[in-house]
Amino acid sequence: QKEVEQDPGPLSVPEGAIVSLNCTYSNSAFQYFMWYRQYSRKGPELLMYTYSSGNKEDGRFTAQVDKSSKYISLFIRDSQPSDSATYLCAMSPTGTASKLTFGTGTRLQVTL
Amino acid sequence: EAQVTQNPRYLITVTGKKLTVTCSQNMNHEYMSWYRQDPGLGLRQIYYSMNVEVTDKGDVPEGYKVSRKEKRNFPLILESPSPNQTSLYFCASTRTGQETQYFGPGTRLLVL
């Protein structure tokens, strides 16, 4: 069993839809949770960063962490075609200057 | 411009021919890491370095070597490449307290 599980998709939604992306994990030591966005032929770039449990909002993006269920989510409101990318969850017990464990990524396509 | 650079971006080689992929960052980061990205497997860490002359194995170190003689450079060496090392490779860097690892643009390697 992988430490981090993520539905690979692909997920196709119409423009303006609310998108929900999720990861589950098994290692209770994870304290730092990140969502990266990766466009085709590019390196991943950070979208959201959360420490421990709770919610964090940044514009159209909301990250949620439920440590009791070992479940994290990323919500995208009013999705745009420019949101079409692969979304990777990542986690670490000790912060980003250490080993990050990634999910396999969910490919999202937002159609006009 | 703050960035992580990798060279080459694309490489086709043959089994057994030693190669080096270079990685350089201009952000004075202590931490650097190499990942490989494969379909269905996500990003997996190969090696990482906490600082100059300090390196350690990640999840999939077999067949790879690294060195960290200078803070800005972290080359990845394949002494005798094999076809199962065909992959997309990313270098990343960060420092303690930052929310993200900064990723390079990737190196696509094909071993025949």
Side-chain angles (χ1 to χ4, degrees):
Chain A
Q1 185 192 3
K2 292 179 183 174
E3 268 191 300
V4 178
E5 299 277 359
Q6 184 175 7
D7 189 331
L11 182 62
S12 182
V13 301
E15 183 179 8
I18 296 175
V19 176
S20 172
L21 304 168
N22 312 293
C23 288
T24 59
Y25 63 95
S26 57
N27 187 347
S28 58
F30 288 143
Q31 297 276 4
Y32 298 82
F33 303 91
M34 291 138 273
W35 284 95
Y36 282 82
R37 179 174 60 194
Q38 185 177 19
Y39 290 114
S40 181
R41 302 188 180 280
K42 300 283 189 184
E45 54 182 0
L46 182 73
L47 200 55
M48 298 288 282
Y49 171 92
T50 311
Y51 170 69
S52 195
S53 284
N55 294 357
K56 185 174 183 179
E57 187 173 322
D58 184 1
R60 297 185 294 111
F61 300 91
T62 300
Q64 288 185 351
V65 175
D66 181 349
K67 290 185 66 182
S68 63
S69 302
K70 296 189 178 68
Y71 187 87
I72 71 170
S73 300
L74 177 71
F75 296 95
I76 307 173
R77 291 182 299 280
D78 187 25
S79 55
Q80 303 294 311
S82 58
D83 295 328
S84 297
T86 297
Y87 290 80
L88 302 151
C89 63
M91 318 182 179
S92 167
T94 54
T96 57
S98 63
K99 178 176 178 241
L100 298 184
T101 301
F102 283 84
T104 52
T106 299
R107 192 151 57 90
L108 172 67
Q109 181 75 37
V110 180
T111 57
L112 291 168
Chain B
E1 181 190 354
Q3 59 183 349
V4 179
T5 56
Q6 295 178 227
N7 282 293
R9 295 289 313 278
Y10 304 91
L11 180 60
I12 301 174
T13 190
V14 295
T15 299
K17 186 176 182 182
K18 180 180 179 180
L19 66 93
T20 299
V21 184
T22 65
C23 173
S24 183
Q25 50 92 5
N26 61 1
M27 295 170 280
N28 201 34
H29 287 163
E30 296 89 11
Y31 183 91
M32 297 185 75
S33 182
W34 275 104
Y35 296 88
R36 59 178 291 174
Q37 188 174 34
D38 302 289
L41 297 176
L43 276 160
R44 293 177 293 165
Q45 190 178 51
I46 303 170
Y47 268 95
Y48 65 96
S49 169
M50 300 294 285
N51 215 322
V52 176
E53 303 291 3
V54 180
T55 63
D56 210 344
K57 296 177 182 178
D59 294 322
V60 288
E62 295 79 19
Y64 304 94
K65 282 177 57 177
V66 293
S67 68
R68 187 92 182 273
K69 293 184 171 54
E70 305 166 280
K71 200 171 188 180
R72 62 183 293 129
N73 295 324
F74 190 43
L76 179 69
I77 303 155
L78 285 70
E79 295 266 0
S80 182
S82 63
N84 65 11
Q85 293 179 296
T86 292
S87 188
L88 178 58
Y89 291 87
F90 288 102
C91 179
S93 73
T94 190
R95 71 161 65 94
T96 302
Q98 288 198 315
E99 292 188 348
T100 185
Q101 290 188 8
Y102 294 89
F103 283 80
T107 295
R108 191 168 291 276
L109 172 65
L110 173 62
V111 183
L112 300 173

